[in-house]
Amino acid sequence: MTPVELSRTVLRALRAAVDAGELSATVPERAHVERPRPGGRGDYASNLALRIAREAGAPPRRVAEIISTRLAAEPGIARADVTGPGFLSITLDGDPGTRLVAEILARGERYGHITPDTGEIVQLHIPHELRAAVVADSARRILRSQGALVRVTCDAAPDPVWTELLGVRVDAHGHPPAPLPTLRPVPAPAEPDPLRLGRDAARWALLLPAPHDHPHTGDDHLAQRETNPLFRVRYAHSRARALTRNAAQLGFTAAPGDVRDARDAGNAVAQAAEDDGHSLLGALGDHPAVLAAAARHRAPDRLARHLVRTADAFLARAHTVLPLGDEKPSAAHRARLALAEAAGTVLAGGLSLLGISAPAYL
């Protein structure tokens, strides 16, 4: 169950309580769910009860208790507890890590996407400027992944090289008859010219900084070294694909499951790898929420930074995937390979939404 699906489940529980006369409140369009903060409980938490308590005319804890009773009966929910002043702490059925990896592998690069279309129509307008065109192009892709239909207009026709080299797309050009909200990121510098970087590096250079930050377009975006975030993201993807090929040569395939090996109990190195695995699972689990936020704020930079976080979490544990020496492949190795494949899938899907290629060999 993705955060988006869980949000719908929470809203369904609230709607059932309202229909039964247990609560009197307007059901919002979205229920915010997130990973619990340090010291929290369960797999996810929601502040829905706190948001609607005043309208419901009841203390937040009482509202949360009513929703939690309904929520606990929903398929896929193991339990729903009330914590603090009225937070819903939600625990999903089964092992959440295994379930998450299986879901990513089943959905492929469309993990985190919303289907069918929501019916939302979004108009994006931009000035005639390179960075604005690239940001709008990626924002369009991300909004489409969230079920919205998008139209991009520009003050003037984009330069042909923007389309030919960077793949940007504009539906119409000219000043709109009525004022429209306009995407106006800090413009790309004239020197060094970002176009000389080529499609992938140029798009990354213009998308990674927040819209209010000045983009840096130096040659370091082309460097194949760890200090280059784009290289780390694309290298992590290619490494994940290489692990699948290497595993096939060793005679085993991926199977979602427990990444821990009972033989490693008490092993400090193994414990560190396990901790890295939880960090990676957190990044993978956050992916749908990151896509939703990037769409809502028209901010592809949020997705770019999330891909860096995901890549770094994967690279920290990539060395644990394959057996060492004469070690035989175990269930833990198959589970670690599944986790690696899930990471590669998320990285490939995210890069695609940024308009950047994800090579299997690098």
Side-chain angles (χ1 to χ4, degrees), residues 3-4 35 46 65 102 110 116-117 146 155 157 167 179 202 206 215 222 239 242 250 283 299 314 316 339 345:
V4 172
R35 295 285 179 179
S46 175
E65 288 167 357
R110 293 186 62 79
D117 287 350
Q146 301 304 291
D155 284 344
L206 299 176
L222 298 173
R239 180 80 184 277
L250 295 174
F314 164 68
L339 179 56
T345 298

Side-chain angles (χ1 to χ4, degrees), residues 23-352:
L23 289 172
S24 177
T26 302
V27 179
E29 293 184 1
R30 181 183 297 109
H32 180 67
V33 294
E34 63 181 1
R35 295 285 179 179
R37 297 176 183 179
R41 187 188 307 175
D43 299 318
Y44 290 95
S46 175
N47 65 352
L48 178 63
L50 295 167
R51 288 175 52 199
I52 67 170
R54 176 175 295 181
E55 182 185 356
R61 279 194 66 90
R62 177 57 183 155
V63 175
E65 288 167 357
I66 293 172
I67 298 174
S68 68
T69 300
R70 295 277 181 177
L71 188 57
E74 289 282 343
I77 305 296
R79 60 183 295 166
D81 300 307
V82 180
T83 59
F87 290 101
L88 288 164
S89 295
I90 306 163
T91 303
L92 304 179
D93 278 334
D95 173 59
T98 300
R99 188 174 53 247
L100 173 64
V101 170
E103 179 182 354
I104 294 171
L105 296 181
R107 296 195 175 193
E109 293 183 20
R110 293 186 62 79
Y111 165 65
H113 292 212
I114 292 178
T115 53
D117 287 350
T118 63
E120 179 185 10
I121 299 177
V122 177
Q123 171 74 60
L124 300 178
H125 187 76
I126 56 173
H128 183 261
E129 191 277 317
L130 175 60
R131 188 185 183 199
V134 172
V135 169
D137 185 73
S138 286
R140 178 211 293 273
R141 296 165 188 255
I142 296 170
L143 281 159
R144 278 299 295 135
S145 80
Q146 301 304 291
L149 298 175
V150 187
R151 176 178 168 84
V152 178
T153 57
C154 183
D155 284 344
D159 293 359
V161 69
W162 298 1
T163 300
E164 296 166 5
L165 182 63
L166 300 187
V168 302
R169 171 186 155 197
V170 169
D171 298 304
H173 58 85
H175 294 287
L180 289 173
T182 303
L183 289 179
R184 292 186 183 276
V186 173
E191 295 294 337
D193 182 3
L195 294 175
R196 82 191 192 293
L197 297 174
R199 174 168 177 155
D200 291 334
R203 289 184 69 104
W204 180 266
L206 299 176
L207 291 171
L208 180 63
H212 57 270
D213 289 334
H214 290 269
H216 168 65
T217 56
D219 289 342
D220 50 323
H221 291 293
L222 298 173
Q224 297 199 29
R225 54 173 179 260
E226 291 183 359
T227 55
N228 178 3
L230 175 59
F231 172 73
R232 294 206 306 276
V233 171
R234 299 174 85 214
Y235 173 69
H237 169 264
S238 66
R239 180 80 184 277
R241 300 313 181 207
L243 287 170
T244 298
R245 298 191 297 268
N246 297 153
Q249 294 171 350
L250 295 174
F252 74 99
T253 56
D258 193 341
V259 299
R260 297 169 296 182
D261 192 320
R263 295 172 296 179
D264 291 332
N267 185 311
V269 175
Q271 182 61 51
E274 182 183 340
D275 292 341
D276 288 336
H278 288 304
S279 175
L280 177 56
L281 285 170
L284 298 178
D286 289 342
H287 186 68
V290 170
L291 290 183
R296 189 163 57 251
H297 296 282
R298 292 31 167 171
D301 59 290
R302 296 187 179 215
L303 174 57
R305 289 193 296 272
H306 176 68
L307 295 182
V308 176
R309 172 194 168 198
T310 303
D312 289 345
F314 164 68
L315 291 172
R317 65 164 292 110
H319 65 282
T320 70
V321 174
L322 299 178
L324 299 176
D326 58 358
E327 186 180 16
K328 300 297 183 183
S330 66
H333 289 115
R334 289 189 287 274
R336 293 170 193 166
L337 179 60
L339 179 56
E341 291 183 352
T345 298
V346 166
L347 293 172
L351 286 170
S352 176

